């Protein structure tokens, strides 16, 4: 196999296993709790994974700029594999939470690398096809994960939802081994202080979305740590997050746009299946609706690399956010009698919107920076999307919980989505028509 082929096999398998893991855990956690106990700690099995996987992505991207892609990516796979084995042997909820945290560290290190390595290996016009392939893996995992979870719980044991990761991770490592890295790292000292301040600050801020008590205290300490991080990074010769990257106008705008667009509607995929189940559809059918998002996503991701060369970033991001506003309007009119196919169509439109926004902003984050900043720039895009998604899910969940009826809550959360999507549409206007290519 060629150099490109082997590394593509590796990163696709890593994406598949990381994306499936979250969905399988979501569907089987009630069964796990029944066996090992700890129902009062139920949410922390998800929170520990989510926080660490989100926080570690930018750190991993920066380390790959300094020390190369292959070794950092391989370390992420090993950590994820190790955490999966430990999760499978858990005998209490406390153990599972700790081991899920190790899994989350591995996932956070792994997840930026498909886009980073694709940016190293493929020209712009081919990158949309590669991103579409990655999206297909997320779509596949949305279908496979519930089926595998049901099979393991019925015929084997819930522990196999973690053990199944082992052979996939090993194959991913083996196919990575012959990869000859094309990127030459720009070595520098590791910014340990910046990494600790960043991880601590963001973790505490994310924690405010997951706890019922002391959220203001966690938020205040998190903000103080981020302020300290800002001033610390200004003085460091090799900062973990180069602040001059945020002075790159189009890149900073794309990061902000990714955050706001995800805060608007990316949480939709967490609630539409719940809506359809309330309509009387099965768990499987409500999951099938999510395929609409993958179909729409791939339809625009494949040609978007060529579109970037032809039209530029600004028109495409405006088009993507225009589609997001149209999606928000469609979702605004969802009501108690809405059909499956209406929801499926709205999710397909959502896929068209995010397929264009994500692919174009990923390409921009790589092409508009110096070569030695590609890793951190790409991973900051992923980080902004993850934070935006956490905000979206938290606010939408709170709206549903506090509404008088379920359907009033569904309507309320899509009012929120429409308002924020209008803000998201305005952000790309600030990009200059001709952005200077670097990477």
């Amino acid at each position: 196999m060629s150099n490109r082929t082997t590394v593509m096999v590796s990163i696709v398998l890593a994406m598949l296993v990381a994306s499936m893991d979250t969905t399988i855990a979501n569907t089987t956690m009630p069964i796990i709790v029944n066996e090992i106990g700890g129902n009062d700690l139920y949410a922390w099995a998800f929170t520990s994974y989510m926080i660490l996987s989100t926080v570690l992505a930018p750190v991993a991207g920066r380390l790959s700029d300094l020390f190369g892609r292959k070794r950092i990516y391989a370390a992420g796979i090993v950590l994820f594999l190790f955490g999966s084995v430990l999760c499978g042997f858990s005998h209490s909820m406390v153990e599972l939470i700790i081991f899920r945290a190790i899994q989350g560290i591995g996932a956070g290190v792994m997840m930026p690398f498909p886009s980073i390595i694709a940016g190293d290996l493929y020209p712009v016009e081919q990158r949309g096809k590669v991103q579409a392939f990655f999206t297909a893996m997320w779509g596949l995992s949305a279908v496979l994960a519930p089926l595998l979870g049901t099979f393991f719980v019925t015929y084997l044991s819930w522990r196999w939802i973690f053990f199944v990761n082992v052979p996939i991770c090993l194959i991913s490592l083996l196919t990575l081994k012959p990869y000859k890295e094309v990127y030459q790292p720009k070595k520098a000292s590791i910014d340990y202080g910046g990494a600790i301040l960043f991880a601590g600050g963001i973790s505490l801020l994310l924690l405010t979305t997951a706890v019922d008590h002391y959220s203001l205290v966690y938020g205040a300490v998190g903000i103080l740590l981020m302020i300290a991080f800002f001033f610390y990074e200004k003085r460091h010769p090799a900062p973990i997050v180069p602040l001059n990257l945020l002075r790159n106008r189009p890149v900073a705008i794309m990061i902000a746009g990714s955050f706001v667009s995800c805060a608007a509607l990316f949480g939709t995929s967490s609630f539409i299946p719940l809506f359809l189940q309330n309509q009387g559809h099965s768990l499987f059918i409500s999951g099938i609706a999510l395929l609409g998002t993958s179909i729409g996503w791939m339809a625009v991701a494949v040609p978007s690399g060529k579109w970037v060369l032809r039209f530029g970033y600004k028109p495409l991001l405006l088009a993507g956010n225009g589609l997001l506003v149209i999606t928000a309007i469609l979702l605004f009119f969802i009501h108690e009698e809405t059909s499956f196919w209406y929801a499926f169509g709205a999710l397909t439109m959502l896929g068209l919107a995010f397929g264009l926004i994500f692919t174009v902003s990923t390409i921009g984050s790589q092409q508009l920076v110096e070569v030695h900043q590609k890793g951190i720039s790409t991973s900051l895009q992923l980080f902004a999307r993850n934070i935006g998604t956490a905000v979206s899910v938290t606010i939408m969940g709170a709206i549903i919980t506090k509404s008088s009826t379920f359907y009033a809550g569904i309507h309320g959360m899509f009012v929120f989505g429409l308002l924020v999507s209008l803000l998201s549409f305005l952000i790309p206007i600030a990009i200059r028509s001709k952005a200077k290519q670097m990477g």
Side-chain angles (χ1 to χ4, degrees), residues 40 53-54 66 78 86 88 109 117 123 125 168 199 218 247 252 303 311 343 352 361 401 415 430:
D40 55 325
S53 62
T54 300
L66 300 178
V78 171
L86 291 175
V109 173
I117 294 175
E125 60 270 20
I168 302 175
Y218 293 134
R247 291 194 291 269
F311 301 110
L352 290 170
S361 59
T401 302
V415 170

Side-chain angles (χ1 to χ4, degrees), residues 158-430:
W158 63 262
R159 299 180 186 277
W160 280 94
I161 71 172
F162 300 110
F163 291 150
V164 73
N165 296 338
V166 175
I168 302 175
C169 287
L170 289 175
I171 295 171
S172 182
L173 281 170
L174 288 172
T175 50
L176 179 66
K177 189 176 181 181
Y179 170 52
K180 292 180 173 55
E181 194 164 347
V182 296
Y183 168 71
Q184 295 299 316
K186 183 180 180 180
K187 292 189 177 181
S189 58
I190 301 177
D191 178 13
Y192 293 105
I196 292 170
L197 287 171
F198 179 83
I202 296 298
S203 295
L204 287 170
L205 290 174
L206 284 173
L207 199 57
T208 62
T209 69
V211 296
D212 296 323
H213 306 290
Y214 306 112
S215 58
L216 289 178
V217 175
Y218 293 134
V221 176
I223 290 170
L224 289 174
L225 287 177
M226 292 309 295
I227 292 171
F229 167 76
F230 174 78
F231 287 107
Y232 181 88
E233 294 294 91
K234 286 182 70 174
R235 298 194 307 271
H236 200 281
I240 200 75
V241 178
L243 297 180
N244 65 335
L245 178 66
L246 302 180
R247 291 194 291 269
N248 184 322
R249 183 183 176 91
V251 171
I253 290 169
M254 289 177 191
I255 291 172
S258 292
F259 167 76
V260 176
S261 63
C262 285
L265 285 177
F266 208 76
T268 300
S269 59
S270 297
F271 296 100
I272 286 293
L274 181 62
F275 168 80
L276 290 172
Q277 287 165 40
N278 270 268
Q279 300 289 84
H281 296 286
S282 68
L283 180 65
F284 179 73
I285 293 298
S286 61
I288 287 293
L290 297 177
L291 283 178
T293 305
S294 298
I295 291 168
W297 199 307
M298 288 186 286
V300 293
V302 170
S304 60
K306 294 180 180 178
W307 289 348
V308 166
L309 295 175
R310 183 175 179 183
F311 301 110
Y313 301 105
K314 182 175 180 177
L316 293 176
L317 289 173
L318 285 171
N321 281 282
L323 290 169
L324 193 68
V325 173
I326 294 171
T327 304
I329 293 171
L330 290 173
L331 293 169
F332 176 84
F333 288 106
I334 279 183
H335 56 87
E336 195 169 343
E337 303 300 323
T338 296
S339 69
F340 168 86
W341 289 110
Y342 184 94
F344 186 90
L347 288 176
T348 302
M349 184 67 72
L350 185 73
L352 290 170
F354 278 119
L356 202 51
I357 294 168
F358 280 19
T359 308
V360 172
S361 59
T362 297
I363 293 173
S365 69
Q366 296 169 345
Q367 296 303 112
L368 300 174
V369 298
E370 301 290 345
V371 174
H372 64 274
Q373 291 184 330
K374 271 189 178 183
I376 182 62
S377 180
T378 305
S379 58
L380 280 175
Q381 281 287 336
L382 177 63
F383 174 73
R385 295 167 194 169
N386 287 342
I387 295 292
T389 301
V391 169
S392 180
V393 171
T394 300
I395 293 177
M396 287 182 169
I399 291 171
I400 286 182
T401 302
K402 294 179 181 179
S403 296
S404 56
T405 67
F406 174 76
Y407 292 105
I410 288 290
H411 180 71
M413 77 181 198
F414 288 135
V415 170
F416 162 79
L418 177 57
L419 293 174
V420 181
S421 66
L422 290 170
L423 173 61
S424 180
F425 178 78
L426 298 175
I427 291 175
I429 295 174

Side-chain angles (χ1 to χ4, degrees), residues 121-182:
L121 292 179
Y122 293 91
V124 173
E125 60 270 20
Q126 293 182 22
R127 228 169 286 167
K129 294 180 182 178
V130 177
Q131 295 294 333
F133 192 59
F134 296 157
T135 303
M137 291 301 102
W138 284 99
L140 180 63
S141 72
V143 177
L144 279 180
L147 294 176
L148 282 174
T150 302
F151 175 82
F152 290 141
V153 169
T154 304
Y155 298 104
L156 296 171
S157 161
W158 63 262
R159 299 180 186 277
W160 280 94
I161 71 172
F162 300 110
F163 291 150
V164 73
N165 296 338
V166 175
I168 302 175
C169 287
L170 289 175
I171 295 171
S172 182
L173 281 170
L174 288 172
T175 50
L176 179 66
K177 189 176 181 181
Y179 170 52
K180 292 180 173 55
E181 194 164 347
V182 296

Side-chain angles (χ1 to χ4, degrees), residues 23-37:
T23 310
I24 290 181
N26 288 348
T27 56
T28 56
M29 193 58 70
I31 295 166
I32 296 173
V33 170
N34 285 339
E35 181 172 324
I36 65 175

